[in-house]
Amino acid sequence: MSMIDVKELKAYYTTEKYGRIYRVRAVDGVSFQVHKNEIYGIAGESGCGKSTLLKAISGLIKPPLEILEGEVIYNFDDQSLNILSLQEDKQRRKVRGIRLSHIPQGSMSVLNPVRRIRKSFQDLIDAHLKLENRTHLNDMNMVKKHLDALGLEWNVMHSFPHQLSGGMRQRITIALATILKPDIIFADEPTTALDVVVQRGVVQLIKKIKKEQQNTLIMVTHDLAIHANLCDRLAIMYAGKIVEEADVNLLFNQPKHPYTQMLLDSLPKLGDKSTRTSAPGTPPSLINVPPGCRFHPRCPEATERCRREIPELVEVEKGHRVACFLEEGSK
Ligand SMILES: Nc1ncnc2c1ncn2[C@@H]1O[C@H](COP(=O)(O)OP(=O)(O)O)[C@@H](O)[C@H]1O
Ligand SMILES: [Mg+2]
């Protein structure tokens, strides 16, 4: 059963520079499904459209971002919702509070620097829980239980954000994002600003929550090691499109798209002392995308056809989708 169904989504930024209109084709025809209860990863170099995709599918759409085409359907147990058809902004916000939540990269956008941490929790609960007979004590008991379950000390509640380490602040941000037990969690580079050791703790924390609350999680990061550790399935994005998608083990063991292969090749391997060639070139500007396959200018295997035609994302074996003409030929 799919929890999120994304169909032919196009989300562009429209900007004006020196009197000319530019369209940034950040998400350009993307279709995928996220299953209930899974962790779905989205990877790709910086600038490939990962954050924009996350914004678009979670209904966080404001100018200059526009949805040009497509559908995003959520299938909750008790209702299906077409998020893009909801009236801006009130209805979306209502869904967002309880059903959906975001884990951002930094904590500073959600933790108020001049208020103690517990106030941020209280504000969130006040904003979204409309239960009768709510008391401050009950609310704080709920927070305490949640922190206990996450292995966080109650003491941090009395601190101001700046008194905590970056890692602790990120844990608190995650606790805050999950206290209302959202059905769907969207995480955008939640570990990127942290040291490697701290990252591991944060990944463990996310796993723990997911196991307890059985939420569906969409995880965006450029860091493939995090995906390898956390995700069930992984999509690789390049220049506004998904170029490959599979079960995470399959994708790491048998990458089929030359871009995926390039990303994996650039990872360091233990015991390998050769100088690794980093991925040559950079992703194209999304204002002027190359014709044909967007990866062709960097692809070692590009043919004439790749320069002209756009490869579709097709299933080449069960649960493995690839957008590359090489794969079409091998079938
Ligand atoms: N507010 C914005 N206005 C115009 N272009 C933007 C804006 N935000 C992002 N972009 C552009 O959209 C493209 C995709 O960006 P983004 O989704 O942030 O990629 P990623 O998260 O993979 O690094 C980039 O070319 C970026 O410059
Ligand atoms: Mg991003």
Side-chain angles (χ1 to χ4, degrees), residues 97 109-130 134 136 139-140 142-143 157 176 179-180:
S109 57
V110 285
L111 299 178
N112 188 331
V114 296
R115 304 181 80 181
R116 295 183 198 276
I117 302 288
R118 64 167 186 273
K119 289 296 288 177
S120 293
F121 278 84
Q122 187 68 61
D123 290 350
L124 183 95
I125 297 170
D126 285 345
H128 296 295
L129 269 196
K130 303 284 180 240
R134 261 187 56 214
H136 179 70
D139 288 351
M140 285 302 120
M142 178 169 96
V143 175
M157 286 295 111
L176 194 60
I179 181 133
L180 301 176

PDB file of all heavy atoms in Angstrom, residues 97 109-130 134 136 139-140 142-143 157 176 179-180:
ATOM      1  N   GLY A  97       0.477  20.049  10.627  1.00  0.00           N
ATOM      2  CA  GLY A  97       0.732  19.997  12.063  1.00  0.00           C
ATOM      3  C   GLY A  97       0.723  18.605  12.635  1.00  0.00           C
ATOM      4  O   GLY A  97       1.658  18.203  13.322  1.00  0.00           O
ATOM      5  N   SER A 109      15.799  27.180  12.923  1.00  0.00           N
ATOM      6  CA  SER A 109      14.530  27.646  12.366  1.00  0.00           C
ATOM      7  C   SER A 109      13.345  27.210  13.221  1.00  0.00           C
ATOM      8  O   SER A 109      12.264  27.762  13.112  1.00  0.00           O
ATOM      9  CB  SER A 109      14.359  27.148  10.933  1.00  0.00           C
ATOM     10  OG  SER A 109      14.452  25.747  10.911  1.00  0.00           O
ATOM     11  N   VAL A 110      13.542  26.193  14.058  1.00  0.00           N
ATOM     12  CA  VAL A 110      12.403  25.728  14.869  1.00  0.00           C
ATOM     13  C   VAL A 110      12.544  26.001  16.360  1.00  0.00           C
ATOM     14  O   VAL A 110      11.556  26.039  17.075  1.00  0.00           O
ATOM     15  CB  VAL A 110      12.133  24.221  14.663  1.00  0.00           C
ATOM     16  CG1 VAL A 110      11.475  23.977  13.320  1.00  0.00           C
ATOM     17  CG2 VAL A 110      13.384  23.404  14.796  1.00  0.00           C
ATOM     18  N   LEU A 111      13.786  26.176  16.816  1.00  0.00           N
ATOM     19  CA  LEU A 111      13.958  26.475  18.236  1.00  0.00           C
ATOM     20  C   LEU A 111      14.123  27.981  18.399  1.00  0.00           C
ATOM     21  O   LEU A 111      14.962  28.597  17.746  1.00  0.00           O
ATOM     22  CB  LEU A 111      15.188  25.753  18.798  1.00  0.00           C
ATOM     23  CG  LEU A 111      15.155  24.225  18.726  1.00  0.00           C
ATOM     24  CD1 LEU A 111      16.464  23.649  19.264  1.00  0.00           C
ATOM     25  CD2 LEU A 111      13.966  23.666  19.483  1.00  0.00           C
ATOM     26  N   ASN A 112      13.330  28.540  19.242  1.00  0.00           N
ATOM     27  CA  ASN A 112      13.408  29.973  19.466  1.00  0.00           C
ATOM     28  C   ASN A 112      14.627  30.290  20.346  1.00  0.00           C
ATOM     29  O   ASN A 112      14.727  29.806  21.466  1.00  0.00           O
ATOM     30  CB  ASN A 112      12.113  30.424  20.149  1.00  0.00           C
ATOM     31  CG  ASN A 112      12.023  31.932  20.249  1.00  0.00           C
ATOM     32  OD1 ASN A 112      13.046  32.614  20.328  1.00  0.00           O
ATOM     33  ND2 ASN A 112      10.814  32.439  20.242  1.00  0.00           N
ATOM     34  N   PRO A 113      15.577  31.098  19.817  1.00  0.00           N
ATOM     35  CA  PRO A 113      16.836  31.316  20.541  1.00  0.00           C
ATOM     36  C   PRO A 113      16.665  31.992  21.900  1.00  0.00           C
ATOM     37  O   PRO A 113      17.522  31.842  22.774  1.00  0.00           O
ATOM     38  CB  PRO A 113      17.656  32.195  19.596  1.00  0.00           C
ATOM     39  CG  PRO A 113      16.695  32.775  18.645  1.00  0.00           C
ATOM     40  CD  PRO A 113      15.551  31.804  18.534  1.00  0.00           C
ATOM     41  N   VAL A 114      15.597  32.736  22.076  1.00  0.00           N
ATOM     42  CA  VAL A 114      15.468  33.456  23.344  1.00  0.00           C
ATOM     43  C   VAL A 114      14.492  32.786  24.317  1.00  0.00           C
ATOM     44  O   VAL A 114      14.149  33.349  25.342  1.00  0.00           O
ATOM     45  CB  VAL A 114      15.053  34.939  23.119  1.00  0.00           C
ATOM     46  CG1 VAL A 114      16.139  35.683  22.360  1.00  0.00           C
ATOM     47  CG2 VAL A 114      13.718  35.039  22.397  1.00  0.00           C
ATOM     48  N   ARG A 115      14.070  31.580  23.967  1.00  0.00           N
ATOM     49  CA  ARG A 115      13.164  30.884  24.885  1.00  0.00           C
ATOM     50  C   ARG A 115      13.723  29.520  25.251  1.00  0.00           C
ATOM     51  O   ARG A 115      14.417  28.893  24.465  1.00  0.00           O
ATOM     52  CB  ARG A 115      11.790  30.724  24.236  1.00  0.00           C
ATOM     53  CG  ARG A 115      11.224  32.058  23.810  1.00  0.00           C
ATOM     54  CD  ARG A 115       9.877  31.909  23.193  1.00  0.00           C
ATOM     55  NE  ARG A 115       8.855  31.759  24.230  1.00  0.00           N
ATOM     56  CZ  ARG A 115       7.562  31.593  23.962  1.00  0.00           C
ATOM     57  NH1 ARG A 115       7.166  31.513  22.708  1.00  0.00           N
ATOM     58  NH2 ARG A 115       6.685  31.481  24.930  1.00  0.00           N
ATOM     59  N   ARG A 116      13.387  29.089  26.464  1.00  0.00           N
ATOM     60  CA  ARG A 116      13.838  27.767  26.886  1.00  0.00           C
ATOM     61  C   ARG A 116      13.176  26.708  26.017  1.00  0.00           C
ATOM     62  O   ARG A 116      12.086  26.897  25.488  1.00  0.00           O
ATOM     63  CB  ARG A 116      13.485  27.537  28.357  1.00  0.00           C
ATOM     64  CG  ARG A 116      14.232  28.487  29.276  1.00  0.00           C
ATOM     65  CD  ARG A 116      13.932  28.200  30.732  1.00  0.00           C
ATOM     66  NE  ARG A 116      14.286  29.335  31.562  1.00  0.00           N
ATOM     67  CZ  ARG A 116      15.518  29.560  32.029  1.00  0.00           C
ATOM     68  NH1 ARG A 116      16.492  28.716  31.746  1.00  0.00           N
ATOM     69  NH2 ARG A 116      15.788  30.627  32.742  1.00  0.00           N
ATOM     70  N   ILE A 117      13.893  25.562  25.872  1.00  0.00           N
ATOM     71  CA  ILE A 117      13.435  24.497  24.992  1.00  0.00           C
ATOM     72  C   ILE A 117      11.988  24.086  25.294  1.00  0.00           C
ATOM     73  O   ILE A 117      11.184  23.883  24.396  1.00  0.00           O
ATOM     74  CB  ILE A 117      14.346  23.246  25.129  1.00  0.00           C
ATOM     75  CG1 ILE A 117      15.797  23.589  24.806  1.00  0.00           C
ATOM     76  CG2 ILE A 117      13.846  22.107  24.273  1.00  0.00           C
ATOM     77  CD1 ILE A 117      16.112  23.842  23.375  1.00  0.00           C
ATOM     78  N   ARG A 118      11.642  24.010  26.577  1.00  0.00           N
ATOM     79  CA  ARG A 118      10.294  23.507  26.884  1.00  0.00           C
ATOM     80  C   ARG A 118       9.200  24.411  26.324  1.00  0.00           C
ATOM     81  O   ARG A 118       8.112  23.951  26.001  1.00  0.00           O
ATOM     82  CB  ARG A 118      10.103  23.293  28.391  1.00  0.00           C
ATOM     83  CG  ARG A 118      10.174  24.538  29.224  1.00  0.00           C
ATOM     84  CD  ARG A 118       9.655  24.296  30.642  1.00  0.00           C
ATOM     85  NE  ARG A 118       9.614  25.549  31.360  1.00  0.00           N
ATOM     86  CZ  ARG A 118      10.644  26.058  32.043  1.00  0.00           C
ATOM     87  NH1 ARG A 118      11.754  25.380  32.145  1.00  0.00           N
ATOM     88  NH2 ARG A 118      10.554  27.238  32.613  1.00  0.00           N
ATOM     89  N   LYS A 119       9.544  25.710  26.143  1.00  0.00           N
ATOM     90  CA  LYS A 119       8.551  26.610  25.551  1.00  0.00           C
ATOM     91  C   LYS A 119       8.280  26.246  24.101  1.00  0.00           C
ATOM     92  O   LYS A 119       7.160  26.366  23.618  1.00  0.00           O
ATOM     93  CB  LYS A 119       9.030  28.067  25.643  1.00  0.00           C
ATOM     94  CG  LYS A 119       9.013  28.649  27.027  1.00  0.00           C
ATOM     95  CD  LYS A 119       7.609  28.732  27.603  1.00  0.00           C
ATOM     96  CE  LYS A 119       6.769  29.831  26.940  1.00  0.00           C
ATOM     97  NZ  LYS A 119       5.383  29.833  27.493  1.00  0.00           N
ATOM     98  N   SER A 120       9.333  25.814  23.393  1.00  0.00           N
ATOM     99  CA  SER A 120       9.131  25.403  21.999  1.00  0.00           C
ATOM    100  C   SER A 120       8.182  24.211  21.924  1.00  0.00           C
ATOM    101  O   SER A 120       7.339  24.124  21.030  1.00  0.00           O
ATOM    102  CB  SER A 120      10.463  25.053  21.332  1.00  0.00           C
ATOM    103  OG  SER A 120      11.249  26.219  21.202  1.00  0.00           O
ATOM    104  N   PHE A 121       8.320  23.284  22.877  1.00  0.00           N
ATOM    105  CA  PHE A 121       7.413  22.129  22.918  1.00  0.00           C
ATOM    106  C   PHE A 121       5.996  22.596  23.250  1.00  0.00           C
ATOM    107  O   PHE A 121       5.031  22.177  22.612  1.00  0.00           O
ATOM    108  CB  PHE A 121       7.890  21.103  23.957  1.00  0.00           C
ATOM    109  CG  PHE A 121       8.975  20.211  23.427  1.00  0.00           C
ATOM    110  CD1 PHE A 121      10.307  20.611  23.438  1.00  0.00           C
ATOM    111  CD2 PHE A 121       8.657  18.973  22.886  1.00  0.00           C
ATOM    112  CE1 PHE A 121      11.301  19.796  22.936  1.00  0.00           C
ATOM    113  CE2 PHE A 121       9.654  18.144  22.383  1.00  0.00           C
ATOM    114  CZ  PHE A 121      10.983  18.556  22.406  1.00  0.00           C
ATOM    115  N   GLN A 122       5.912  23.466  24.245  1.00  0.00           N
ATOM    116  CA  GLN A 122       4.583  23.945  24.642  1.00  0.00           C
ATOM    117  C   GLN A 122       3.896  24.667  23.482  1.00  0.00           C
ATOM    118  O   GLN A 122       2.722  24.431  23.205  1.00  0.00           O
ATOM    119  CB  GLN A 122       4.717  24.880  25.857  1.00  0.00           C
ATOM    120  CG  GLN A 122       3.377  25.294  26.441  1.00  0.00           C
ATOM    121  CD  GLN A 122       2.646  24.119  27.096  1.00  0.00           C
ATOM    122  OE1 GLN A 122       3.148  23.531  28.045  1.00  0.00           O
ATOM    123  NE2 GLN A 122       1.472  23.756  26.571  1.00  0.00           N
ATOM    124  N   ASP A 123       4.664  25.507  22.771  1.00  0.00           N
ATOM    125  CA  ASP A 123       4.082  26.247  21.644  1.00  0.00           C
ATOM    126  C   ASP A 123       3.553  25.300  20.580  1.00  0.00           C
ATOM    127  O   ASP A 123       2.474  25.497  20.032  1.00  0.00           O
ATOM    128  CB  ASP A 123       5.140  27.157  20.990  1.00  0.00           C
ATOM    129  CG  ASP A 123       5.504  28.326  21.894  1.00  0.00           C
ATOM    130  OD1 ASP A 123       4.810  28.528  22.909  1.00  0.00           O
ATOM    131  OD2 ASP A 123       6.497  29.021  21.593  1.00  0.00           O
ATOM    132  N   LEU A 124       4.344  24.266  20.296  1.00  0.00           N
ATOM    133  CA  LEU A 124       3.942  23.317  19.263  1.00  0.00           C
ATOM    134  C   LEU A 124       2.651  22.599  19.663  1.00  0.00           C
ATOM    135  O   LEU A 124       1.721  22.456  18.878  1.00  0.00           O
ATOM    136  CB  LEU A 124       5.062  22.296  19.033  1.00  0.00           C
ATOM    137  CG  LEU A 124       4.741  21.322  17.918  1.00  0.00           C
ATOM    138  CD1 LEU A 124       5.336  21.809  16.611  1.00  0.00           C
ATOM    139  CD2 LEU A 124       5.261  19.936  18.222  1.00  0.00           C
ATOM    140  N   ILE A 125       2.618  22.170  20.910  1.00  0.00           N
ATOM    141  CA  ILE A 125       1.431  21.457  21.389  1.00  0.00           C
ATOM    142  C   ILE A 125       0.226  22.395  21.391  1.00  0.00           C
ATOM    143  O   ILE A 125      -0.865  22.034  20.938  1.00  0.00           O
ATOM    144  CB  ILE A 125       1.693  20.864  22.793  1.00  0.00           C
ATOM    145  CG1 ILE A 125       2.812  19.822  22.710  1.00  0.00           C
ATOM    146  CG2 ILE A 125       0.425  20.238  23.359  1.00  0.00           C
ATOM    147  CD1 ILE A 125       3.320  19.339  24.051  1.00  0.00           C
ATOM    148  N   ASP A 126       0.435  23.613  21.843  1.00  0.00           N
ATOM    149  CA  ASP A 126      -0.660  24.590  21.843  1.00  0.00           C
ATOM    150  C   ASP A 126      -1.203  24.814  20.441  1.00  0.00           C
ATOM    151  O   ASP A 126      -2.399  24.943  20.239  1.00  0.00           O
ATOM    152  CB  ASP A 126      -0.168  25.948  22.383  1.00  0.00           C
ATOM    153  CG  ASP A 126       0.012  25.924  23.894  1.00  0.00           C
ATOM    154  OD1 ASP A 126      -0.503  24.986  24.533  1.00  0.00           O
ATOM    155  OD2 ASP A 126       0.686  26.833  24.418  1.00  0.00           O
ATOM    156  N   ALA A 127      -0.287  24.866  19.485  1.00  0.00           N
ATOM    157  CA  ALA A 127      -0.708  25.182  18.124  1.00  0.00           C
ATOM    158  C   ALA A 127      -1.509  24.043  17.493  1.00  0.00           C
ATOM    159  O   ALA A 127      -2.359  24.282  16.643  1.00  0.00           O
ATOM    160  CB  ALA A 127       0.511  25.500  17.264  1.00  0.00           C
ATOM    161  N   HIS A 128      -1.230  22.812  17.904  1.00  0.00           N
ATOM    162  CA  HIS A 128      -1.827  21.699  17.159  1.00  0.00           C
ATOM    163  C   HIS A 128      -2.770  20.790  17.916  1.00  0.00           C
ATOM    164  O   HIS A 128      -3.584  20.116  17.320  1.00  0.00           O
ATOM    165  CB  HIS A 128      -0.714  20.848  16.541  1.00  0.00           C
ATOM    166  CG  HIS A 128       0.070  21.604  15.523  1.00  0.00           C
ATOM    167  ND1 HIS A 128      -0.485  22.051  14.348  1.00  0.00           N
ATOM    168  CD2 HIS A 128       1.350  22.021  15.506  1.00  0.00           C
ATOM    169  CE1 HIS A 128       0.425  22.705  13.662  1.00  0.00           C
ATOM    170  NE2 HIS A 128       1.550  22.715  14.337  1.00  0.00           N
ATOM    171  N   LEU A 129      -2.633  20.718  19.216  1.00  0.00           N
ATOM    172  CA  LEU A 129      -3.507  19.800  19.946  1.00  0.00           C
ATOM    173  C   LEU A 129      -4.717  20.552  20.464  1.00  0.00           C
ATOM    174  O   LEU A 129      -4.603  21.412  21.322  1.00  0.00           O
ATOM    175  CB  LEU A 129      -2.760  19.156  21.123  1.00  0.00           C
ATOM    176  CG  LEU A 129      -2.035  17.839  20.859  1.00  0.00           C
ATOM    177  CD1 LEU A 129      -1.716  17.176  22.184  1.00  0.00           C
ATOM    178  CD2 LEU A 129      -2.820  16.910  19.960  1.00  0.00           C
ATOM    179  N   LYS A 130      -5.848  20.196  19.913  1.00  0.00           N
ATOM    180  CA  LYS A 130      -7.051  20.925  20.316  1.00  0.00           C
ATOM    181  C   LYS A 130      -7.924  20.074  21.241  1.00  0.00           C
ATOM    182  O   LYS A 130      -9.125  20.157  21.227  1.00  0.00           O
ATOM    183  CB  LYS A 130      -7.865  21.316  19.065  1.00  0.00           C
ATOM    184  CG  LYS A 130      -7.080  22.146  18.068  1.00  0.00           C
ATOM    185  CD  LYS A 130      -6.925  23.604  18.530  1.00  0.00           C
ATOM    186  CE  LYS A 130      -6.144  24.403  17.515  1.00  0.00           C
ATOM    187  NZ  LYS A 130      -4.914  24.986  18.060  1.00  0.00           N
ATOM    188  N   ARG A 134      -7.131  19.750  28.292  1.00  0.00           N
ATOM    189  CA  ARG A 134      -5.675  19.743  28.285  1.00  0.00           C
ATOM    190  C   ARG A 134      -5.175  20.532  29.469  1.00  0.00           C
ATOM    191  O   ARG A 134      -5.706  21.588  29.802  1.00  0.00           O
ATOM    192  CB  ARG A 134      -5.170  20.405  27.005  1.00  0.00           C
ATOM    193  CG  ARG A 134      -4.780  19.411  25.930  1.00  0.00           C
ATOM    194  CD  ARG A 134      -4.145  20.145  24.778  1.00  0.00           C
ATOM    195  NE  ARG A 134      -3.006  20.927  25.228  1.00  0.00           N
ATOM    196  CZ  ARG A 134      -2.664  22.096  24.701  1.00  0.00           C
ATOM    197  NH1 ARG A 134      -3.369  22.602  23.724  1.00  0.00           N
ATOM    198  NH2 ARG A 134      -1.609  22.724  25.150  1.00  0.00           N
ATOM    199  N   HIS A 136      -1.406  21.887  31.439  1.00  0.00           N
ATOM    200  CA  HIS A 136       0.030  22.051  31.263  1.00  0.00           C
ATOM    201  C   HIS A 136       0.766  20.798  31.750  1.00  0.00           C
ATOM    202  O   HIS A 136       1.686  20.306  31.107  1.00  0.00           O
ATOM    203  CB  HIS A 136       0.498  23.289  32.029  1.00  0.00           C
ATOM    204  CG  HIS A 136       1.969  23.521  31.922  1.00  0.00           C
ATOM    205  ND1 HIS A 136       2.570  23.931  30.754  1.00  0.00           N
ATOM    206  CD2 HIS A 136       2.952  23.363  32.827  1.00  0.00           C
ATOM    207  CE1 HIS A 136       3.869  24.016  30.948  1.00  0.00           C
ATOM    208  NE2 HIS A 136       4.139  23.678  32.191  1.00  0.00           N
ATOM    209  N   ASP A 139       0.442  17.985  29.279  1.00  0.00           N
ATOM    210  CA  ASP A 139       1.308  18.261  28.128  1.00  0.00           C
ATOM    211  C   ASP A 139       2.753  17.910  28.461  1.00  0.00           C
ATOM    212  O   ASP A 139       3.446  17.259  27.692  1.00  0.00           O
ATOM    213  CB  ASP A 139       1.245  19.741  27.739  1.00  0.00           C
ATOM    214  CG  ASP A 139      -0.078  20.105  27.085  1.00  0.00           C
ATOM    215  OD1 ASP A 139      -0.857  19.184  26.788  1.00  0.00           O
ATOM    216  OD2 ASP A 139      -0.315  21.308  26.889  1.00  0.00           O
ATOM    217  N   MET A 140       3.190  18.378  29.621  1.00  0.00           N
ATOM    218  CA  MET A 140       4.594  18.156  29.987  1.00  0.00           C
ATOM    219  C   MET A 140       4.864  16.676  30.266  1.00  0.00           C
ATOM    220  O   MET A 140       5.957  16.180  30.001  1.00  0.00           O
ATOM    221  CB  MET A 140       4.987  19.042  31.177  1.00  0.00           C
ATOM    222  CG  MET A 140       5.187  20.506  30.805  1.00  0.00           C
ATOM    223  SD  MET A 140       6.464  20.770  29.520  1.00  0.00           S
ATOM    224  CE  MET A 140       5.536  21.547  28.220  1.00  0.00           C
ATOM    225  N   MET A 142       3.446  14.329  28.586  1.00  0.00           N
ATOM    226  CA  MET A 142       3.576  13.783  27.236  1.00  0.00           C
ATOM    227  C   MET A 142       4.997  14.030  26.709  1.00  0.00           C
ATOM    228  O   MET A 142       5.628  13.146  26.137  1.00  0.00           O
ATOM    229  CB  MET A 142       2.532  14.451  26.333  1.00  0.00           C
ATOM    230  CG  MET A 142       2.579  14.030  24.907  1.00  0.00           C
ATOM    231  SD  MET A 142       1.112  14.619  24.026  1.00  0.00           S
ATOM    232  CE  MET A 142       1.749  16.110  23.328  1.00  0.00           C
ATOM    233  N   VAL A 143       5.485  15.247  26.943  1.00  0.00           N
ATOM    234  CA  VAL A 143       6.844  15.576  26.499  1.00  0.00           C
ATOM    235  C   VAL A 143       7.849  14.672  27.215  1.00  0.00           C
ATOM    236  O   VAL A 143       8.768  14.121  26.594  1.00  0.00           O
ATOM    237  CB  VAL A 143       7.179  17.069  26.779  1.00  0.00           C
ATOM    238  CG1 VAL A 143       8.631  17.367  26.420  1.00  0.00           C
ATOM    239  CG2 VAL A 143       6.245  17.980  25.999  1.00  0.00           C
ATOM    240  N   MET A 157      15.227  20.463  28.804  1.00  0.00           N
ATOM    241  CA  MET A 157      14.034  21.294  28.634  1.00  0.00           C
ATOM    242  C   MET A 157      14.206  22.697  29.210  1.00  0.00           C
ATOM    243  O   MET A 157      13.580  23.646  28.777  1.00  0.00           O
ATOM    244  CB  MET A 157      12.826  20.638  29.322  1.00  0.00           C
ATOM    245  CG  MET A 157      12.283  19.458  28.601  1.00  0.00           C
ATOM    246  SD  MET A 157      11.586  19.889  27.007  1.00  0.00           S
ATOM    247  CE  MET A 157      12.762  19.120  25.959  1.00  0.00           C
ATOM    248  N   LEU A 176      11.019  17.281  18.810  1.00  0.00           N
ATOM    249  CA  LEU A 176       9.941  18.244  18.600  1.00  0.00           C
ATOM    250  C   LEU A 176       9.117  17.860  17.363  1.00  0.00           C
ATOM    251  O   LEU A 176       7.893  17.922  17.365  1.00  0.00           O
ATOM    252  CB  LEU A 176      10.574  19.632  18.421  1.00  0.00           C
ATOM    253  CG  LEU A 176       9.703  20.869  18.510  1.00  0.00           C
ATOM    254  CD1 LEU A 176       9.032  20.978  19.864  1.00  0.00           C
ATOM    255  CD2 LEU A 176      10.559  22.123  18.256  1.00  0.00           C
ATOM    256  N   ILE A 179       6.870  14.606  18.328  1.00  0.00           N
ATOM    257  CA  ILE A 179       6.080  14.449  19.551  1.00  0.00           C
ATOM    258  C   ILE A 179       4.605  14.176  19.268  1.00  0.00           C
ATOM    259  O   ILE A 179       3.939  13.481  20.022  1.00  0.00           O
ATOM    260  CB  ILE A 179       6.258  15.658  20.499  1.00  0.00           C
ATOM    261  CG1 ILE A 179       5.427  15.441  21.762  1.00  0.00           C
ATOM    262  CG2 ILE A 179       5.842  16.968  19.884  1.00  0.00           C
ATOM    263  CD1 ILE A 179       6.141  15.701  23.015  1.00  0.00           C
ATOM    264  N   LEU A 180       4.107  14.695  18.154  1.00  0.00           N
ATOM    265  CA  LEU A 180       2.689  14.473  17.847  1.00  0.00           C
ATOM    266  C   LEU A 180       2.482  13.215  16.991  1.00  0.00           C
ATOM    267  O   LEU A 180       1.429  13.035  16.402  1.00  0.00           O
ATOM    268  CB  LEU A 180       2.099  15.715  17.171  1.00  0.00           C
ATOM    269  CG  LEU A 180       2.183  16.994  18.016  1.00  0.00           C
ATOM    270  CD1 LEU A 180       1.673  18.197  17.236  1.00  0.00           C
ATOM    271  CD2 LEU A 180       1.410  16.861  19.321  1.00  0.00           C
TER     272      LEU A 180
END
